Amino acid sequence: MITYNSDGIRMPNIRKRATTAWIKAVAASYGRSVGEIGYLFVSDERILEVNKEYLGHDYYTDIITFDYDEGETINGDIVISLDTVRSNAEQYAKNYDEELHRVIIHGILHLCGINDKGPGEREIMEQAENRALAMR
């Protein structure tokens, strides 16, 4: 089951059923099934609090993914700052809806085992994001 919630901000306008079906299809393309996924949409200030409290990082980010995978079933909590999604869309001259969905699927791709911190990994993640967005 995939849940979508917001904390202190207005819920983004996403089509939950269609987004859930898309997420499941992307996970399946990596040989994974979807267990319990919880999305929480927050402000920059809230994601900074989460980043400090749980990861010891003192900086803003667009997404934090907490991985609770069990074998081939992905489970996790995904916290997304809509403030940062909006500013990134503006900075990269992207449509807000496309940027939001890129970040939504970014967390799922992490749960499927794709990383983006090591050498060459960012490019692999971007390719995976683009493939996933094409499935939408």
Side-chain angles (χ1 to χ4, degrees), residues 15-126:
R15 294 178 25 226
K16 293 176 186 173
R17 278 196 191 120
T19 301
T20 295
W22 172 55
I23 289 167
K24 288 179 178 180
V26 170
S29 75
Y30 289 91
R32 303 294 190 97
S33 61
V34 172
E36 299 289 325
I37 304 288
Y39 281 94
L40 183 62
F41 299 99
V42 301
S43 66
D44 270 353
E45 292 310 312
R46 182 68 182 113
I47 206 163
L48 180 60
E49 291 172 10
V50 171
N51 215 1
K52 286 178 181 178
E53 181 177 348
Y54 293 98
L55 301 176
H57 300 159
D58 188 11
Y59 55 81
Y60 297 97
T61 187
D62 53 354
I63 184 171
I64 299 173
T65 304
F66 296 96
D67 186 343
Y68 314 127
D69 287 358
E70 297 174 8
E72 298 305 308
T73 302
I74 61 171
N75 297 282
D77 288 319
I78 300 172
V79 183
I80 295 175
S81 169
L82 295 182
D83 294 333
T84 300
V85 169
R86 182 167 281 106
S87 62
N88 284 349
E90 291 170 5
Q91 180 179 349
Y92 299 113
K94 298 285 185 183
N95 173 287
Y96 172 76
D97 186 61
E98 180 181 337
E99 186 65 19
L100 176 60
H101 283 84
R102 179 178 297 278
V103 175
I104 286 171
I105 211 61
H106 183 94
I108 297 300
L109 293 170
H110 274 308
L111 295 177
C112 288
I114 300 173
N115 296 312
D116 59 357
K117 300 291 186 216
E121 290 179 339
R122 181 68 216 150
E123 293 79 10
I124 293 167
M125 176 62 85
E126 285 178 14

